[in-house]
Amino acid sequence: MRLTLLLLIASAAAAQRPFSHELHLKLPQKLACVTCHSSVQSSTRLEDNNLPSPDICLGCHKEASVGQPRPTLLLRFDHQKHLSLGNIAPVIRAAIDAKTYLSPADNIRRYLDGSNACAACHRGMEQSTTLAKSALPQMADCLVCHNKIDAPFSCEFCHAKSAALKPANHTPDFHDSHSRKNSKLNKTTCAVCHGRKFTCLGCH
């Protein structure tokens, strides 16, 4: 009985172990993204499950458990169309260098020198030891090409009407509070939704 319980605990712990892209990408086989995420090349809908199938994992592992796609704020996305553009890393890099990238670039510039088309948007996979939002494209990446910003009207091009897009600080009294001197509003974070040239009259 105790041995069975220990095996169940060990099995549960293994199932909850964070997935390491770093570990898989450093294998001698030199796996490509599409080796495991093979469906992305023909995926045209956001609802497509582009996680590896258990059969792919079982090629190397004795057992495999693959989770479900995580919820997203997007309404639509076409991997096939975006992959047909080739490696867009130079386009994102150029936007950062031209100071038109609409978020603080922080340290992402260093991830944009490779030839892997997937890595332009899914950056840092070689160092990723757990699944995180930082591995997903940022809104500023999308806005490099999809650069019509007319919030809230342009939001519905990619996002569902019901998506919770407003930042937490946009409370009902935000119209009054955000213009106070002590509001400590960081205007650079507003750009990703409102663009760099927004004016007060654009909302009021």
Side-chain angles (χ1 to χ4, degrees), residues 165-184:
L165 300 176
K166 285 185 181 178
N169 69 351
H170 284 43
T171 56
D173 67 339
F174 183 72
H175 283 124
D176 296 323
S177 65
H178 76 285
S179 58
R180 296 179 191 143
K181 287 184 179 179
N182 63 352
S183 67
K184 298 180 182 176

Side-chain angles (χ1 to χ4, degrees), residues 44-62:
T44 59
R45 303 176 317 130
L46 181 72
E47 298 82 8
D48 294 341
N49 183 348
N50 292 309
L51 294 175
S53 72
D55 289 342
I56 290 174
C57 304
L58 290 171
C60 298
H61 299 279
K62 290 181 180 177

